[in-house]
Coordinates of all heavy atoms in Angstrom, one line a residue:
M692 N 55.2 -11.1 -75.0 CA 55.4 -11.8 -73.7 C 56.2 -10.9 -72.8 O 57.3 -10.6 -73.1 CB 56.1 -13.1 -74.0 CG 55.8 -14.2 -73.1 SD 56.6 -15.7 -73.7 CE 55.6 -16.8 -72.9
G693 N 55.6 -10.6 -71.6 CA 56.3 -9.7 -70.7 C 56.7 -10.4 -69.4 O 56.5 -11.6 -69.3
N694 N 57.2 -9.7 -68.5 CA 57.6 -10.2 -67.2 C 56.3 -10.1 -66.3 O 56.1 -9.0 -65.8 CB 58.7 -9.5 -66.6 CG 60.0 -9.7 -67.4 OD1 60.2 -10.8 -68.0 ND2 61.0 -8.8 -67.3
D695 N 55.6 -11.2 -66.2 CA 54.4 -11.2 -65.4 C 54.6 -11.7 -64.0 O 53.6 -11.9 -63.3 CB 53.3 -12.0 -66.1 CG 52.8 -11.3 -67.4 OD1 53.0 -10.1 -67.5 OD2 52.3 -12.0 -68.3
Y696 N 55.8 -12.0 -63.6 CA 56.1 -12.6 -62.3 C 56.3 -11.4 -61.3 O 56.7 -10.3 -61.6 CB 57.3 -13.5 -62.3 CG 58.6 -12.8 -62.7 CD1 59.4 -12.4 -61.7 CD2 59.0 -12.7 -64.0 CE1 60.6 -11.7 -61.9 CE2 60.2 -12.1 -64.3 CZ 61.0 -11.6 -63.3 OH 62.2 -11.0 -63.5
K697 N 56.0 -11.7 -60.0 CA 56.3 -10.8 -59.0 C 57.6 -11.1 -58.3 O 58.0 -12.3 -58.3 CB 55.2 -10.9 -57.9 CG 53.8 -10.5 -58.4 CD 52.8 -10.3 -57.3 CE 52.6 -11.5 -56.5 NZ 51.5 -11.4 -55.4
K698 N 58.3 -10.1 -57.9 CA 59.6 -10.2 -57.2 C 59.4 -9.7 -55.8 O 58.9 -8.6 -55.6 CB 60.6 -9.5 -58.0 CG 62.0 -9.7 -57.5 CD 63.0 -8.9 -58.3 CE 64.4 -9.1 -57.8 NZ 65.4 -8.4 -58.6
L699 N 59.9 -10.5 -54.8 CA 59.9 -10.0 -53.4 C 61.1 -9.0 -53.2 O 62.2 -9.3 -53.4 CB 60.1 -11.2 -52.5 CG 60.2 -10.9 -51.0 CD1 58.9 -10.2 -50.5 CD2 60.4 -12.1 -50.2
V700 N 60.7 -7.8 -52.9 CA 61.6 -6.7 -52.6 C 61.2 -6.0 -51.3 O 60.1 -6.0 -50.9 CB 61.7 -5.7 -53.8 CG1 62.3 -6.4 -55.0 CG2 60.4 -5.1 -54.1
R701 N 62.2 -5.3 -50.7 CA 61.9 -4.5 -49.6 C 61.2 -3.2 -50.1 O 61.7 -2.6 -51.0 CB 63.1 -4.1 -48.8 CG 63.7 -5.3 -48.0 CD 64.9 -5.0 -47.1 NE 66.0 -4.6 -48.0 CZ 66.8 -3.5 -47.7 NH1 66.5 -2.7 -46.7 NH2 67.8 -3.2 -48.5
S702 N 60.2 -2.8 -49.4 CA 59.4 -1.6 -49.8 C 60.1 -0.3 -49.5 O 60.7 -0.2 -48.4 CB 58.0 -1.6 -49.2 OG 57.3 -0.5 -49.5
R703 N 60.1 0.6 -50.4 CA 60.6 2.0 -50.1 C 59.5 2.9 -49.5 O 59.8 3.8 -48.8 CB 61.2 2.6 -51.3 CG 62.5 2.0 -51.7 CD 63.0 2.7 -52.9 NE 64.5 2.6 -52.9 CZ 65.3 3.5 -53.4 NH1 64.8 4.6 -53.9 NH2 66.6 3.3 -53.4
T704 N 58.3 2.6 -49.9 CA 57.2 3.5 -49.6 C 56.5 3.1 -48.3 O 55.9 3.9 -47.6 CB 56.2 3.6 -50.7 OG1 55.7 2.3 -51.0 CG2 56.8 4.2 -52.0
N705 N 56.5 1.8 -48.0 CA 55.7 1.2 -46.9 C 56.6 0.6 -45.9 O 56.6 -0.6 -45.7 CB 54.7 0.2 -47.5 CG 53.5 0.0 -46.5 OD1 53.6 0.5 -45.4 ND2 52.6 -0.7 -47.0
R706 N 57.5 1.4 -45.3 CA 58.5 0.8 -44.4 C 58.4 1.5 -43.0 O 58.0 2.6 -42.9 CB 59.9 1.0 -45.0 CG 60.4 2.4 -45.1 CD 61.8 2.6 -45.6 NE 62.4 1.4 -45.9 CZ 63.6 1.4 -46.6 NH1 64.2 2.5 -47.0 NH2 64.1 0.2 -46.9
T707 N 58.7 0.7 -42.0 CA 58.8 1.2 -40.7 C 60.3 1.1 -40.2 O 60.8 2.1 -39.7 CB 57.9 0.3 -39.7 OG1 56.6 0.4 -40.2 CG2 58.0 0.9 -38.3
V708 N 60.9 0.0 -40.4 CA 62.3 -0.1 -40.1 C 63.1 -0.3 -41.4 O 63.8 0.6 -41.8 CB 62.6 -1.3 -39.1 CG1 64.0 -1.5 -38.8 CG2 61.7 -1.2 -37.9
C709 N 63.1 -1.5 -42.0 CA 63.8 -1.7 -43.2 C 63.0 -2.0 -44.4 O 63.5 -2.2 -45.5 CB 64.8 -2.9 -43.0 SG 66.1 -2.6 -41.8
G710 N 61.7 -2.1 -44.3 CA 60.8 -2.4 -45.4 C 60.5 -3.8 -45.7 O 59.9 -4.1 -46.7
V711 N 61.0 -4.7 -44.8 CA 60.8 -6.2 -45.0 C 59.3 -6.5 -44.9 O 58.7 -7.1 -45.9 CB 61.6 -7.0 -44.0 CG1 61.3 -8.5 -44.1 CG2 63.1 -6.8 -44.2
C712 N 58.6 -6.1 -43.9 CA 57.2 -6.4 -43.7 C 56.3 -5.8 -44.8 O 55.4 -6.3 -45.3 CB 56.7 -6.1 -42.3 SG 57.4 -7.1 -41.0
G713 N 56.7 -4.5 -45.2 CA 56.0 -3.8 -46.2 C 56.2 -4.5 -47.6 O 55.2 -4.7 -48.3
G714 N 57.3 -5.0 -47.8 CA 57.6 -5.8 -49.1 C 56.8 -7.1 -49.1 O 56.3 -7.5 -50.1
I715 N 56.8 -7.8 -48.0 CA 56.1 -9.1 -47.9 C 54.6 -8.8 -48.1 O 53.9 -9.6 -48.8 CB 56.4 -9.8 -46.6 CG1 57.9 -10.3 -46.6 CG2 55.5 -11.0 -46.4 CD1 58.3 -10.8 -45.3
G716 N 54.1 -7.8 -47.4 CA 52.7 -7.4 -47.6 C 52.3 -7.1 -49.0 O 51.3 -7.5 -49.5
E717 N 53.2 -6.3 -49.7 CA 52.9 -6.0 -51.1 C 53.0 -7.2 -52.0 O 52.2 -7.4 -52.9 CB 53.9 -4.9 -51.6 CG 53.7 -3.6 -50.9 CD 54.8 -2.6 -51.2 OE1 55.7 -2.9 -52.0 OE2 54.7 -1.5 -50.7
Y718 N 53.9 -8.1 -51.7 CA 54.1 -9.3 -52.5 C 52.9 -10.3 -52.3 O 52.4 -10.9 -53.3 CB 55.4 -10.1 -52.0 CG 55.7 -11.3 -52.8 CD1 56.2 -11.2 -54.1 CD2 55.4 -12.6 -52.3 CE1 56.5 -12.4 -54.8 CE2 55.7 -13.7 -53.0 CZ 56.2 -13.6 -54.3 OH 56.5 -14.8 -55.0
L719 N 52.3 -10.4 -51.1 CA 51.2 -11.3 -50.8 C 49.9 -10.6 -51.0 O 48.8 -11.2 -50.8 CB 51.3 -11.8 -49.4 CG 52.5 -12.7 -49.1 CD1 52.6 -13.1 -47.6 CD2 52.5 -13.9 -50.0
N720 N 49.9 -9.3 -51.4 CA 48.6 -8.5 -51.5 C 47.8 -8.5 -50.2 O 46.6 -8.7 -50.3 CB 47.8 -9.0 -52.7 CG 48.4 -8.7 -54.0 OD1 49.1 -7.7 -54.2 ND2 48.3 -9.6 -54.9
V721 N 48.5 -8.3 -49.1 CA 47.8 -8.1 -47.8 C 48.3 -6.8 -47.2 O 49.3 -6.3 -47.6 CB 48.0 -9.3 -46.8 CG1 47.4 -10.6 -47.4 CG2 49.5 -9.5 -46.5
D722 N 47.5 -6.4 -46.2 CA 47.9 -5.1 -45.5 C 49.3 -5.4 -44.8 O 49.3 -6.3 -44.0 CB 46.8 -4.7 -44.5 CG 47.1 -3.4 -43.9 OD1 47.9 -2.6 -44.3 OD2 46.4 -3.1 -42.9
P723 N 50.3 -4.6 -45.0 CA 51.5 -4.7 -44.3 C 51.4 -4.7 -42.8 O 52.2 -5.3 -42.0 CB 52.4 -3.6 -44.8 CG 51.9 -3.3 -46.1 CD 50.4 -3.5 -46.0
T724 N 50.4 -4.0 -42.2 CA 50.2 -4.0 -40.8 C 49.9 -5.4 -40.3 O 50.4 -5.7 -39.2 CB 49.1 -3.0 -40.5 OG1 49.3 -1.7 -41.0 CG2 48.9 -2.9 -39.0
V725 N 49.2 -6.1 -41.0 CA 48.9 -7.5 -40.6 C 50.2 -8.3 -40.6 O 50.4 -9.1 -39.6 CB 47.8 -8.2 -41.6 CG1 47.7 -9.6 -41.3 CG2 46.5 -7.4 -41.5
V726 N 51.0 -8.1 -41.6 CA 52.3 -8.8 -41.6 C 53.2 -8.4 -40.4 O 53.8 -9.3 -39.8 CB 53.1 -8.6 -42.9 CG1 54.4 -9.2 -42.9 CG2 52.2 -9.0 -44.1
R727 N 53.2 -7.1 -40.1 CA 53.9 -6.7 -38.9 C 53.4 -7.3 -37.6 O 54.2 -7.7 -36.8 CB 53.9 -5.1 -38.8 CG 54.7 -4.5 -39.9 CD 54.6 -2.9 -39.8 NE 55.3 -2.3 -40.9 CZ 54.6 -1.7 -41.9 NH1 53.3 -1.6 -41.9 NH2 55.3 -1.2 -42.9
I728 N 52.1 -7.3 -37.4 CA 51.5 -7.9 -36.2 C 51.9 -9.4 -36.1 O 52.3 -9.8 -35.0 CB 50.0 -7.7 -36.2 CG1 49.7 -6.2 -36.0 CG2 49.4 -8.5 -35.1 CD1 48.3 -5.8 -36.2
I729 N 51.8 -10.1 -37.2 CA 52.1 -11.5 -37.2 C 53.6 -11.7 -36.9 O 54.0 -12.6 -36.1 CB 51.8 -12.2 -38.5 CG1 50.2 -12.3 -38.7 CG2 52.4 -13.6 -38.7 CD1 49.8 -12.7 -40.0
W730 N 54.4 -10.8 -37.4 CA 55.9 -10.9 -37.2 C 56.2 -10.7 -35.7 O 57.0 -11.4 -35.1 CB 56.6 -9.9 -38.1 CG 58.1 -10.3 -38.3 CD1 59.1 -10.4 -37.4 CD2 58.7 -10.8 -39.5 NE1 60.2 -10.8 -37.9 CE2 60.0 -11.0 -39.2 CE3 58.2 -11.0 -40.8 CZ2 60.9 -11.5 -40.2 CZ3 59.1 -11.4 -41.7 CH2 60.5 -11.7 -41.4
V731 N 55.6 -9.7 -35.1 CA 55.8 -9.4 -33.7 C 55.4 -10.5 -32.8 O 56.1 -10.9 -31.9 CB 55.2 -8.0 -33.3 CG1 55.1 -7.8 -31.8 CG2 55.8 -6.9 -34.0
V732 N 54.2 -11.1 -33.1 CA 53.7 -12.2 -32.3 C 54.7 -13.4 -32.4 O 55.0 -14.0 -31.4 CB 52.3 -12.6 -32.7 CG1 51.9 -13.9 -32.1 CG2 51.3 -11.5 -32.4
C733 N 55.1 -13.7 -33.6 CA 56.1 -14.8 -33.8 C 57.4 -14.5 -33.1 O 58.0 -15.4 -32.5 CB 56.3 -15.0 -35.3 SG 54.9 -15.7 -36.1
T734 N 57.8 -13.2 -33.1 CA 59.1 -12.9 -32.5 C 59.0 -13.1 -31.0 O 59.9 -13.6 -30.3 CB 59.5 -11.4 -32.8 OG1 59.7 -11.3 -34.2 CG2 60.7 -11.0 -32.1
L735 N 57.8 -12.6 -30.4 CA 57.6 -12.8 -28.9 C 57.5 -14.2 -28.6 O 58.0 -14.7 -27.5 CB 56.4 -12.0 -28.5 CG 56.6 -10.5 -28.6 CD1 55.2 -9.8 -28.3 CD2 57.7 -9.9 -27.7
A736 N 56.8 -15.0 -29.4 CA 56.6 -16.4 -29.1 C 57.9 -17.2 -29.2 O 58.0 -18.3 -28.6 CB 55.5 -17.0 -30.0
S737 N 58.8 -16.8 -30.1 CA 60.0 -17.5 -30.3 C 61.2 -17.0 -29.5 O 62.3 -17.3 -29.8 CB 60.3 -17.6 -31.8 OG 60.6 -16.3 -32.2
V738 N 60.9 -16.1 -28.6 CA 62.0 -15.5 -27.7 C 63.0 -14.8 -28.6 O 64.2 -15.0 -28.3 CB 62.6 -16.5 -26.8 CG1 63.4 -15.8 -25.7 CG2 61.5 -17.4 -26.1
G739 N 62.6 -14.0 -29.6 CA 63.6 -13.2 -30.3 C 64.1 -13.8 -31.6 O 64.8 -13.1 -32.3
T740 N 63.7 -15.0 -31.9 CA 64.2 -15.6 -33.2 C 63.7 -14.8 -34.4 O 64.3 -14.7 -35.4 CB 63.8 -17.1 -33.3 OG1 64.3 -17.7 -32.1 CG2 64.4 -17.7 -34.5
G741 N 62.5 -14.3 -34.3 CA 61.9 -13.5 -35.3 C 62.7 -12.2 -35.6 O 62.8 -11.8 -36.8
A742 N 63.3 -11.6 -34.6 CA 64.2 -10.5 -34.8 C 65.4 -10.8 -35.6 O 65.8 -10.1 -36.5 CB 64.5 -9.9 -33.5
V743 N 66.0 -12.0 -35.3 CA 67.1 -12.4 -36.1 C 66.7 -12.7 -37.5 O 67.4 -12.3 -38.5 CB 67.8 -13.7 -35.4 CG1 68.9 -14.2 -36.3 CG2 68.3 -13.3 -34.0
A744 N 65.6 -13.3 -37.7 CA 65.1 -13.6 -39.1 C 64.8 -12.3 -39.8 O 65.0 -12.2 -41.0 CB 63.8 -14.5 -39.0
Y745 N 64.3 -11.3 -39.1 CA 64.1 -10.0 -39.8 C 65.4 -9.4 -40.3 O 65.4 -8.9 -41.4 CB 63.4 -9.1 -38.8 CG 62.9 -7.7 -39.4 CD1 61.7 -7.6 -40.0 CD2 63.8 -6.6 -39.5 CE1 61.3 -6.4 -40.6 CE2 63.4 -5.5 -40.1 CZ 62.2 -5.4 -40.6 OH 61.8 -4.2 -41.2
L746 N 66.4 -9.4 -39.4 CA 67.7 -8.9 -39.8 C 68.3 -9.6 -41.0 O 68.8 -9.0 -41.9 CB 68.7 -8.9 -38.6 CG 68.3 -8.0 -37.5 CD1 69.3 -8.2 -36.3 CD2 68.4 -6.5 -38.0
I747 N 68.1 -10.9 -41.0 CA 68.6 -11.7 -42.1 C 67.8 -11.4 -43.4 O 68.4 -11.2 -44.5 CB 68.6 -13.2 -41.8 CG1 69.6 -13.6 -40.7 CG2 68.8 -14.1 -43.1 CD1 69.4 -15.0 -40.2
A748 N 66.5 -11.3 -43.3 CA 65.7 -10.9 -44.4 C 66.0 -9.5 -44.9 O 66.1 -9.3 -46.1 CB 64.2 -11.0 -44.0
A749 N 66.3 -8.6 -44.0 CA 66.7 -7.2 -44.4 C 68.0 -7.2 -45.2 O 68.2 -6.4 -46.1 CB 66.9 -6.3 -43.2
L750 N 68.9 -8.2 -44.9 CA 70.2 -8.3 -45.6 C 70.0 -9.0 -47.0 O 70.7 -8.7 -47.9 CB 71.2 -9.0 -44.8 CG 71.7 -8.2 -43.5 CD1 72.6 -9.1 -42.7 CD2 72.4 -7.0 -43.9
L751 N 69.1 -10.0 -47.0 CA 69.0 -10.8 -48.2 C 68.0 -10.3 -49.3 O 68.2 -10.5 -50.5 CB 68.6 -12.2 -47.8 CG 69.7 -13.0 -47.0 CD1 69.1 -14.4 -46.7 CD2 71.0 -13.1 -47.8
I752 N 66.9 -9.7 -48.8 CA 65.9 -9.2 -49.8 C 66.4 -7.9 -50.4 O 66.6 -6.9 -49.6 CB 64.5 -9.1 -49.1 CG1 64.1 -10.4 -48.5 CG2 63.5 -8.5 -50.0 CD1 62.8 -10.3 -47.7
P753 N 66.4 -7.8 -51.7 CA 66.9 -6.5 -52.3 C 65.9 -5.4 -52.1 O 64.7 -5.7 -52.0 CB 67.1 -6.8 -53.7 CG 66.2 -8.0 -54.0 CD 66.1 -8.8 -52.7
E754 N 66.3 -4.1 -52.1 CA 65.4 -3.0 -52.0 C 64.8 -2.7 -53.3 O 65.4 -2.9 -54.4 CB 66.2 -1.8 -51.5 CG 65.3 -0.6 -51.1 CD 66.1 0.4 -50.3 OE1 67.3 0.4 -50.3 OE2 65.4 1.3 -49.7
D755 N 63.6 -2.2 -53.2 CA 62.8 -1.8 -54.4 C 63.5 -0.7 -55.2 O 64.0 0.3 -54.5 CB 61.4 -1.4 -54.1 CG 60.5 -1.3 -55.3 OD1 60.9 -1.7 -56.4 OD2 59.4 -0.8 -55.1
T756 N 63.7 -0.8 -56.5 CA 64.3 0.2 -57.2 C 63.4 0.7 -58.3 O 63.4 0.2 -59.5 CB 65.6 -0.3 -57.9 OG1 65.3 -1.4 -58.7 CG2 66.6 -0.6 -56.9
Y757 N 62.5 1.6 -58.0 CA 61.6 2.2 -59.0 C 61.7 3.7 -59.1 O 62.2 4.4 -58.4 CB 60.2 1.8 -58.8 CG 59.6 2.2 -57.5 CD1 58.9 3.4 -57.4 CD2 59.7 1.4 -56.4 CE1 58.4 3.8 -56.2 CE2 59.1 1.8 -55.2 CZ 58.5 3.0 -55.1 OH 57.9 3.4 -53.9

């Protein structure tokens, strides 16, 4: 019996700023570019709340250690 669960981490290889969108994309098995586009659209639609959420996620989600 092994560890078959996935863990949400910030990506070291697929990062643009802090690796949050890259990590979410890897966790959900989708292209991180799609996650980035959705995040930018949500940030613009919410007048910057997405940017605050990104900073909080960058602080709370641990970085990948491989």
Side-chain angles (χ1 to χ4, degrees):
M692 212 175 201
N694 291 336
D695 293 336
Y696 65 92
K697 293 192 300 185
K698 185 176 179 183
L699 178 61
V700 292
R701 290 186 291 134
S702 177
R703 286 181 155 214
T704 58
N705 202 352
R706 68 178 2 169
T707 301
V708 179
C709 293
V711 173
C712 293
I715 292 171
E717 291 170 2
Y718 182 79
L719 297 175
N720 292 324
V721 296
D722 187 13
T724 305
V725 173
V726 177
R727 289 182 186 106
I728 291 171
I729 291 170
W730 202 294
V731 167
V732 168
C733 290
T734 299
L735 294 175
S737 65
V738 193
T740 305
V743 174
Y745 186 90
L746 292 174
I747 292 170
L750 293 173
L751 294 179
I752 298 174
E754 189 167 13
D755 191 12
T756 57
Y757 60 90

